[in-house]
Amino acid sequence: MSGYRISPEAAWIEASEHDGPDHLVWAAHLGSGAQFEFSDTGWLIWMLLSDGIGDVAALTAELARIHAELGAGASGSPFDESAVSAFLADLLADGLLVVDA
């Protein structure tokens, strides 16, 4: 598996672009109508996916970089590849992501 990308069956908006709170994404699966809300790390992962970063290792590295940049590097990044993979697997199961081969 080379990576993930947002499914064409997903509609989403970043809340802050519509006078909503920062660090929040609202998403829906067009086929099922299921609705989702992602905040904090979920928001960040979604935004990285929207920027074309879909590889688990690249996502994990970017999360660690941002974590360190925010000054939390001393405690180490709370994000590991297994946690990121599990989140992406949930999004895939919900139909919000597709796998790029």
Side-chain angles (χ1 to χ4, degrees), residues 4-21:
Y4 298 88
R5 64 182 167 83
I6 296 172
S7 171
E9 292 294 313
W12 65 278
I13 57 173
E14 187 175 9
S16 64
E17 292 182 5
H18 300 280
D19 297 324

Side-chain angles (χ1 to χ4, degrees), residues 22-84:
D22 289 338
H23 308 139
L24 185 68
V25 164
W26 294 305
H29 185 270
L30 298 174
S32 70
Q35 298 177 8
F36 305 86
E37 181 176 289
F38 306 115
S39 61
D40 302 321
T41 303
W43 163 82
L44 182 53
I45 290 172
W46 189 270
M47 297 311 298
L48 293 170
L49 287 163
S50 75
D51 285 341
I53 301 172
D55 176 74
V56 173
L59 284 166
T60 304
E62 189 62 12
L63 289 169
R65 185 195 66 75
I66 292 167
H67 184 74
E69 189 175 287
L70 294 174
S75 63
S77 174
F79 315 108
D80 61 23
E81 285 191 22
S82 65
V84 172

